[in-house]
């Protein structure tokens, strides 16, 4: 079983998984963090300067070290999703999913169905032509994960229905944008925690969220979360630098 297929199986079976965001568009970052005990990585194509070339190189590094890497895409554009899946991504995290109709369109764009993902066997995902096209098509569904990010009022209201859409593997709570959506300023507001808990309790798909590096994941597990993103390569650099600076002799 490929690393991507193992990830999807673990995700959908709600095993406890932890990963981090990648903000720096360079394959060496993937090579280094891929040699740790993290379960997966997410390239932040929404808020960081990733282009198609840097995504491709990072996914090549991911294949070399055998770690599943998802892409948080900028939006729900099916052409961009097609490209990152062809490059070998383990799946996508799609921001601002708010409706069943949007989730259904996304699910189609992930899979080789009528009106869905365009098929080509000459990609990295298809083994550059070494894998027979029928085999690639048959195996592809097990190797890509669709994670819908819930970070708007409408998304919270429709979370149960979105989670029930065939092809949606998980919901990911974005508490920062959710705070903005509800007109609040505190990421840790009790009202936002309650909304996050509502989403984490959705049936039909795995659920998870971003947790701060020093935040206890246990209470979120108890509310239904099974996968967590915490920190990034940037936060690791900051934390390591602070530790080193504190060691300077007086």
């Amino acid at each position: 079983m490929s690393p991507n297929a193992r990830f999807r199986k673990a995700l959908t079976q709600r095993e406890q998984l932890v990963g981090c965001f990648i903000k720096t568009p360079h394959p060496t970052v993937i090579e280094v963090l891929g040699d740790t005990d993290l379960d997966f990585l997410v390239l932040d194509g929404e808020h960081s300067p990733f282009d198609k070339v840097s995504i491709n190189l990072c996914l090549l590094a991911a294949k070399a070290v055998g770690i599943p890497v998802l892409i948080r895409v900028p939006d729900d554009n099916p052409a961009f999703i097609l490209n990152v899946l062809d490059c070998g991504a383990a799946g996508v995290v799609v921001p601002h999913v708010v409706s069943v109709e949007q989730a259904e369109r996304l699910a189609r764009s992930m899979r080789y169905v009528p009106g869905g993902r365009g098929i080509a066997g000459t990609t990295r995902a298809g083994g550059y032509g070494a894998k027979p096209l029928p085999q690639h098509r048959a195996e592809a569904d097990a190797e890509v994960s669709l994670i819908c990010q819930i970070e708007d009022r409408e998304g919270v209201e429709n979370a149960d229905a979105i989670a029930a859409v065939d092809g949606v593997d998980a919901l990911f709570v974005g508490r920062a944008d959710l705070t903005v959506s509800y007109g609040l300023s505190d990421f840790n507001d009790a009202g936002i925690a309650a909304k996050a808990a509502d989403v984490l309790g959705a049936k039909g798909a795995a659920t998870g969220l971003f947790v701060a590096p020093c935040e206890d994941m246990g209470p979120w597990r108890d509310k239904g979360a099974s996968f967590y993103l915490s920190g990034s390569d940037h936060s690791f650099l900051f934390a390591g630098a602070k530790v080193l600076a504190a060691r300077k002799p007086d």
Side-chain angles (χ1 to χ4, degrees):
M1 186 182 293
S2 70
N4 289 355
R6 284 196 297 272
F7 172 79
R8 183 169 186 266
K9 182 179 180 181
L11 178 70
T12 56
Q13 291 183 348
R14 302 195 178 208
E15 295 182 19
Q16 294 290 303
L17 303 170
V18 64
C20 73
F21 278 114
I22 303 298
K23 302 287 188 175
T24 307
H26 198 284
T28 300
V29 178
I30 307 301
E31 185 179 20
V32 171
L33 291 176
D35 199 28
T36 69
D37 290 330
L38 291 174
D39 296 302
F40 66 102
L41 304 173
V42 178
L43 303 190
D44 191 359
E46 182 186 17
H47 293 296
S48 299
F50 284 93
D51 58 17
K52 290 183 178 181
V53 173
S54 59
I55 288 173
N56 182 57
L57 289 173
C58 286
L59 290 174
L60 179 60
K63 183 176 181 179
V65 294
I67 189 167
V69 172
L70 299 102
I71 313 300
R72 179 156 72 173
V73 292
D75 52 39
D76 60 2
N77 182 347
F80 196 92
I81 292 172
L82 166 67
N83 187 259
V84 301
L85 295 182
D86 279 352
C87 288
V92 293
V93 180
V94 184
H96 299 290
V97 178
V98 297
S99 70
V100 167
E101 293 76 18
Q102 183 185 11
E104 289 174 339
R105 288 195 304 272
L106 286 165
R108 281 196 302 273
S109 73
M110 299 284 291
R111 297 194 160 58
Y112 296 132
V113 296
R117 178 182 173 186
I119 190 166
T122 54
T123 63
R124 182 179 295 125
Y128 294 112
K131 185 186 298 185
L133 198 60
Q135 179 186 348
H136 170 50
R137 182 178 181 182
E139 294 175 353
D141 280 359
E143 295 186 338
V144 294
S145 301
L146 171 59
I147 300 176
C148 294
Q149 191 155 325
I150 306 299
E151 51 189 345
D152 304 274
R153 284 175 180 257
E154 188 179 354
V156 172
E157 292 165 2
N158 294 324
D160 286 329
I162 293 169
V165 169
D166 185 26
V168 172
D169 298 300
L171 305 184
F172 177 71
V173 183
R175 284 187 285 167
D177 275 309
L178 204 57
T179 301
V180 174
S181 181
Y182 280 93
L184 300 170
S185 57
D186 184 1
F187 178 88
N188 295 307
D189 187 278
I192 295 302
K195 296 299 182 184
D198 288 343
V199 176
L200 295 174
K203 307 300 182 183
T207 58
L209 76 169
F210 180 85
V211 295
C214 295
E215 188 176 0
D216 184 2
M217 299 178 189
W220 295 115
R221 176 203 57 208
D222 296 341
K223 290 177 171 58
S226 60
F227 72 99
Y228 314 86
L229 281 160
S230 186
S232 69
D233 53 325
H234 287 183
S235 66
F236 299 156
L237 286 168
F238 271 118
K242 286 181 179 179
V243 169
L244 176 58
R247 292 172 54 200
K248 182 171 63 177
D250 293 332

